[in-house]
Amino acid sequence: MLKKVPFELFNLSRLLTVPGKLLCLCLLNLCLLSMASTVIAEVDESEDKAAEEVNKVFKRFGGFLSKVAPKADESEQQEQTKKPAAFNPLGAIFGQQKPTEQNTDETEPPAIAPEEIMRRMLAGESVDKIFTEEALVQACIKQNADTAARASGEIIDSDLPQVDCSGIDKNLLDPSNRASGRNVSYAGYSKKFMDTKILLAEGDAEQAYQRQMTSLEVKKKKKKKKKKKKSSEPENAAQPEEINYRAPNFLFALEQGVIALDAERRMDAIEFFAEAEYLLDVRQDQGVVKGLFGKVGASTGKLLGFGESGAYRGEAFERILMLNYKSIAYMLDGDRRAYNVTRRAITWQNDEKKVFDQQIAEINSKIEQEESKRSKDNDEMEAGEKQAEQEPTATKQVANEQDASNTKDSSDTNAEDEKEEVAAVDNQGFDSENLLLTIQQQYQASKDKALQIPNAFVNPFGFYMAGIVQEFDSYEDNSLRDNARISYVKALALKPDSEVIELAIEQIKKRPPKNKRLVQIVLADGFAPEKKVLRFDYAIAGTTVAVKLPIYEQDNSLVDRVEVQNSDGKMLTQLHQIADIDAIALRHEYDSLPKQHLNLIFTIIRSVYENKAFEKAGLFGKALKFGRESITNPDMRSWMTLPKQILAGRMYLDKDESDLMLVVYDKAGDILSQQQIVLNVDNHNFIYARTIDSNLTITNSDQLWALLR
């Protein structure tokens, strides 16, 4: 039934005035998106199949709009029919097709700027011809990249003939110039969360905590109100009791867990991190696309540009840090279960790396399959063109006249439109390697920081925390000191330049000093990189596609060093880095570029179809295009309360030492903040601190299980 609606709207549009046509266009857009959702539900949520089906729907979308939009003059249509079949230069370059006489007579220069493409399209010039020139530019870009790689000593296995690129503007041969209008801004979740983040930056963690909880209560009330309206039962009817989870989803639990720690709500922090782990493993998040996409999962929405549809399970490094933070919360509560959690973090980190590496390998394989498929489609299309050229011209004209006079079924018309769209896109010279170069260029600013670590799974905090727990245990059983040493050694293997881990290994080799207390300090500094939306225009196939990608940008911190001083102002130790979360996040982003590459291939193909359809609809199409671009974004969700780095320090103190001073300095050597640490005089101490520029909070642990000796 749903499939018939677009055809009825098409027929209705013929009878309407211009405003009516606009309304039909809007309704067509909604119907086609809904059709896409239905199709995806039938393919078992397979992303590669989903992409094919969605593309088919949007191909038909172009056909519908071309009928609703004003038609070209008959003379213009006849001129188009006289033009020869499109020549694919990549086929000729790679020995798959020979140019026809009509093609070789072309005198237009091969180089063409995106603005010139649009001007010539508006002038009615053949889109296929513009695609041909685009293909030649893409071939030259690939040739130059291979030449540069050979010059650097890299072995390039290619027997492709050389292409004459002398007539092409050099600016077009720079892949980074394919992208223009670069802009980075907040959007989606990252934009909505900024008010809470500002409160944390101002040192008001308690207000941030209350704000989050108030926002949650408001959402719950609205949800209950909607349920009550939909319910057919009377208001006083007994309602089934629901389990009252404090966190509605995994990401809320993560954010609120950190905020609770900063607000010195250790028990709340434990509850939220415990619930986050539970939600990750058991409970299904309710964040599926609603409305048009109410019956399908997240993959449909993401393919159509709605990145925040579906449940958020966190990035791999975030899931590991969740357990790291949960172990901190347990330590502050004096609970030895911190060890069980940190061992779980170590296991997860190893498992997550294996899964991530496997996913990237599968994605690279999918990209190769997509390239192979497109190459095969081009070959088949070229064979069809050759066969068509061999038919007598008179026969073609008679067939065209008969077709024009016959009344066709709507589905037949759409099938022909679909073939035309496929031919145009296959001739566009789409080269995924050059697309990858363009993507890499956009992330160049963070590359150096990302490459400071070998991969995103070198977080040493799990092993370091295991060492802390085992070292406290060794006060009960001295044989466990060697276990602590092993944990510290493994942590150092992941962070070879950490002075505090080196100090821990040196001290653990010796017996603990008598009449001394062990004080372990962990400090979280600043904020992890913010996820923003990167937008740029990508010139491809005679049109400009608006590309949106998620991108991490580092959050600056004024903190340069942190010292622990005694009551006389003498420095006892300096805190040193044990986990560089900036580098971990950026490395994860860098290693995930193949994912962005694959997603962007589908996005660009879909957008080319859409843009061509919008262009056929004239002014109304431009309005629809603007509306679509304004409401679609990639997934902007990330754990925004994470620190940029975790520092640590350790020291032995006399039993009569009752307090310390934590002092934070900026790069100029000026004091940003300082605060007294009140020690537990009857026990060892584990201290957690958070510094955000000039704001500092400190939380000491409750009674630890390890006894003084």
Side-chain angles (χ1 to χ4, degrees):
M1 182 64 184
L2 179 62
K3 294 181 180 179
K4 296 181 180 180
V5 174
F7 298 103
E8 298 301 328
L9 288 172
F10 158 64
N11 293 328
L12 177 62
S13 68
R14 295 178 173 178
L15 308 175
L16 299 177
T17 58
V18 171
K21 290 180 182 292
L22 175 60
L23 177 61
C24 283
L25 287 175
C26 296
L27 293 175
L28 277 172
N29 196 5
L30 296 177
C31 288
L32 289 164
L33 293 179
S34 184
M35 286 170 62
S37 304
T38 305
V39 169
I40 301 302
E42 296 173 356
V43 295
D44 198 25
E45 298 185 358
S46 173
E47 289 194 6
D48 49 352
K49 292 182 180 179
E52 292 181 16
E53 299 299 333
V54 170
N55 285 334
K56 287 182 180 179
V57 171
F58 281 110
K59 291 173 193 174
R60 292 182 178 272
F61 185 24
F64 290 132
L65 288 182
S66 66
K67 301 301 180 297
V68 178
K71 295 184 177 180
D73 296 336
E74 291 183 5
S75 59
E76 187 177 350
Q77 291 179 350
Q78 293 175 359
E79 182 66 24
Q80 290 291 337
T81 59
K82 293 179 182 178
K83 293 188 178 181
F87 164 60
N88 183 354
L90 287 182
I93 292 167
F94 301 149
Q96 298 172 353
Q97 178 184 351
K98 295 181 180 180
T100 62
E101 292 183 2
Q102 292 93 331
N103 297 126
T104 55
D105 289 339
E106 294 289 351
T107 58
E108 291 289 335
I112 182 167
E115 296 80 4
E116 183 68 8
I117 290 176
M118 299 305 296
R119 185 189 68 76
R120 286 168 58 175
M121 286 182 67
L122 292 174
E125 190 166 335
S126 169
V127 175
D128 288 338
K129 178 181 173 183
I130 300 174
F131 286 172
T132 298
E133 294 169 346
E134 172 69 18
L136 183 58
V137 173
Q138 295 283 7
C140 290
I141 290 175
K142 178 175 177 55
Q143 179 174 288
N144 289 351
D146 290 347
T147 302
R150 290 190 185 98
S152 63
E154 188 175 342
I155 299 176
I156 302 297
D157 184 15
S158 175
D159 56 355
L160 298 178
Q162 292 294 300
V163 184
D164 182 11
C165 304
S166 58
I168 297 181
D169 184 356
K170 292 182 179 180
N171 289 329
L172 288 177
L173 301 183
D174 181 1
S176 64
N177 287 338
R178 313 297 287 173
S180 60
R182 187 179 191 276
N183 178 265
V184 178
S185 61
Y186 291 102
Y189 177 82
S190 63
K191 184 176 182 179
K192 295 175 184 176
F193 194 79
M194 279 307 298
D195 289 340
T196 300
K197 189 174 179 180
I198 290 172
L199 289 175
L200 291 174
E202 293 174 348
D204 201 341
E206 179 61 31
Q207 187 175 344
Y209 181 89
Q210 296 299 338
R211 184 183 188 279
Q212 287 286 96
M213 297 306 296
T214 300
S215 175
L216 177 60
E217 289 302 319
V218 170
K219 290 179 181 179
K220 285 183 176 180
K221 288 180 180 179
K222 288 182 179 179
K223 188 175 181 180
K224 288 181 179 179
K225 191 174 182 180
K226 287 182 179 180
K227 284 185 177 180
K228 187 179 291 186
K229 286 184 178 180
K230 292 180 180 180
S231 176
S232 59
E233 298 179 4
E235 293 187 6
N236 57 356
Q239 300 293 332
E241 184 177 354
E242 296 183 357
I243 300 176
N244 185 25
Y245 294 102
R246 296 183 71 189
N249 55 59
F250 175 69
L251 186 54
F252 182 93
L254 294 182
E255 306 284 24
Q256 203 68 341
V258 174
I259 296 173
L261 274 184
D262 292 352
E264 301 185 49
R265 290 171 163 265
R266 67 188 73 182
M267 293 307 300
D268 289 313
I270 290 174
E271 289 180 14
F272 277 115
F273 286 125
E275 190 166 336
E277 187 175 359
Y278 173 75
L279 290 172
L280 192 62
D281 292 338
V282 180
R283 186 179 166 210
Q284 293 295 323
D285 187 72
Q286 299 301 314
V288 296
V289 185
K290 297 182 179 179
L292 292 175
F293 306 113
K295 296 183 179 180
V296 296
S299 59
T300 307
K302 292 180 186 297
L303 283 170
L304 296 177
F306 301 96
E308 292 186 8
S309 58
Y312 181 73
R313 290 179 52 82
E315 302 292 0
F317 72 91
E318 291 177 339
R319 294 193 288 269
I320 296 164
L321 284 164
M322 171 198 69
L323 295 177
N324 293 157
Y325 258 95
K326 188 177 179 182
S327 65
I328 290 175
Y330 272 129
M331 284 296 298
L332 290 175
D333 195 44
D335 193 333
R336 197 190 176 282
R337 283 182 293 178
Y339 179 77
N340 299 331
V341 175
T342 200
R343 290 303 306 176
R344 201 153 61 245
I346 294 170
T347 301
W348 278 26
Q349 180 157 272
N350 295 331
D351 293 343
E352 291 281 8
K353 186 179 187 306
K354 293 177 183 177
V355 171
F356 181 82
D357 291 343
Q358 183 179 355
Q359 287 177 345
I360 295 301
E362 291 175 354
I363 287 172
N364 286 327
S365 175
K366 284 185 179 180
I367 292 174
E368 292 177 2
Q369 291 173 9
E370 179 69 17
E371 291 174 347
S372 175
K373 179 182 176 183
R374 294 188 63 78
S375 176
K376 181 179 179 182
D377 290 344
N378 280 336
D379 292 343
E380 293 177 354
M381 183 195 66
E382 290 163 11
E385 289 176 352
K386 289 180 180 179
Q387 183 178 358
E389 289 170 1
Q390 295 172 0
E391 294 181 9
T393 305
T395 304
K396 287 185 183 179
Q397 292 176 347
V398 172
N400 288 337
E401 291 174 0
Q402 291 177 347
D403 289 342
S405 62
N406 292 335
T407 303
K408 290 187 175 183
D409 182 79
S410 300
S411 60
D412 295 335
T413 303
N414 286 313
E416 288 187 5
D417 291 333
E418 183 174 319
K419 289 179 181 178
E420 293 175 3
E421 300 292 337
V422 171
V425 175
D426 284 340
N427 263 317
Q428 66 186 283
F430 185 82
D431 190 332
S432 66
E433 289 187 13
N434 290 329
L435 179 60
L436 179 59
L437 290 175
T438 300
I439 295 173
Q440 291 173 338
Q441 186 72 24
Q442 305 306 313
Y443 294 88
Q444 194 67 29
S446 61
K447 182 178 178 180
D448 290 342
K449 180 66 175 179
L451 295 181
Q452 288 181 3
I453 56 177
N455 58 71
F457 303 94
V458 291
N459 177 6
F461 191 80
F463 284 115
Y464 186 78
M465 183 61 78
I468 289 177
V469 175
Q470 290 165 334
E471 188 170 4
F472 283 135
D473 285 344
S474 69
Y475 282 88
E476 297 293 317
D477 183 353
N478 192 63
S479 64
L480 295 177
R481 291 187 71 79
D482 193 57
N483 292 350
R485 181 191 62 80
I486 293 172
S487 294
Y488 286 139
V489 168
K490 290 181 178 179
L492 187 64
L494 298 177
K495 182 70 174 174
D497 59 346
S498 177
E499 295 182 33
V500 67
I501 301 178
E502 290 178 345
L503 177 62
I505 294 173
E506 179 184 341
Q507 292 182 344
I508 201 67
K509 292 178 181 178
K510 306 172 184 177
R511 294 184 65 86
K514 294 182 178 180
N515 299 319
K516 297 278 187 178
R517 283 175 296 160
L518 175 60
V519 177
Q520 299 268 16
I521 301 176
V522 171
L523 181 142
D525 170 45
F527 288 113
E530 299 176 313
K531 186 179 282 189
K532 299 181 180 180
V533 61
L534 162 66
R535 187 199 181 281
F536 61 90
D537 295 325
Y538 187 75
I540 181 72
T543 188
T544 301
V545 176
V547 174
K548 292 183 179 181
L549 294 172
I551 186 170
Y552 280 121
E553 283 200 343
Q554 288 181 260
D555 193 272
N556 295 326
S557 172
L558 300 178
V559 176
D560 181 61
R561 73 179 193 276
V562 181
E563 294 182 358
V564 181
Q565 300 176 358
N566 62 16
S567 56
D568 297 329
K570 178 183 177 181
M571 188 185 79
L572 301 178
T573 190
Q574 182 175 328
L575 305 190
H576 297 281
Q577 188 183 84
I578 56 172
D580 188 346
I581 298 177
D582 270 5
I584 289 173
L586 294 175
R587 181 67 200 221
H588 185 273
E589 177 182 70
Y590 181 80
D591 291 340
S592 299
L593 287 184
K595 289 184 180 180
Q596 302 294 357
H597 185 197
L598 181 62
N599 291 336
L600 200 52
I601 288 175
F602 292 136
T603 298
I604 287 181
I605 293 173
R606 184 202 73 213
S607 297
V608 167
Y609 289 128
E610 287 182 324
N611 286 357
K612 289 171 64 182
F614 289 142
E615 288 163 8
K616 291 177 183 178
L619 180 62
F620 304 130
K622 289 182 180 180
L624 286 174
K625 180 181 177 182
F626 176 80
R628 172 163 176 75
E629 290 180 2
S630 65
I631 63 174
T632 57
N633 277 311
D635 193 345
M636 302 307 299
R637 292 172 292 186
S638 66
W639 190 354
M640 292 188 66
T641 52
L642 272 177
K644 70 187 292 85
Q645 61 175 341
I646 297 179
L647 311 178
R650 54 179 286 129
M651 69 210 75
Y652 292 110
L653 294 177
D654 293 333
K655 288 184 177 181
D656 57 355
E657 288 276 0
S658 61
D659 64 293
L660 296 171
M661 187 68 69
L662 198 63
V663 186
V664 182
Y665 295 90
D666 63 13
K667 292 182 179 180
D670 296 327
I671 295 177
L672 283 172
S673 59
Q674 56 183 336
Q675 188 172 327
Q676 184 183 35
I677 303 174
V678 179
L679 298 172
N680 186 338
V681 295
D682 299 323
N683 204 263
H684 303 287
N685 288 254
F686 176 85
I687 297 163
Y688 169 78
R690 177 70 182 263
T691 179
I692 304 173
D693 293 336
S694 59
N695 295 299
L696 174 65
T697 59
I698 297 174
T699 306
N700 200 349
S701 61
D702 280 343
Q703 187 83 9
L704 293 175
W705 62 91
L707 300 177
L708 284 176
R709 293 197 173 206

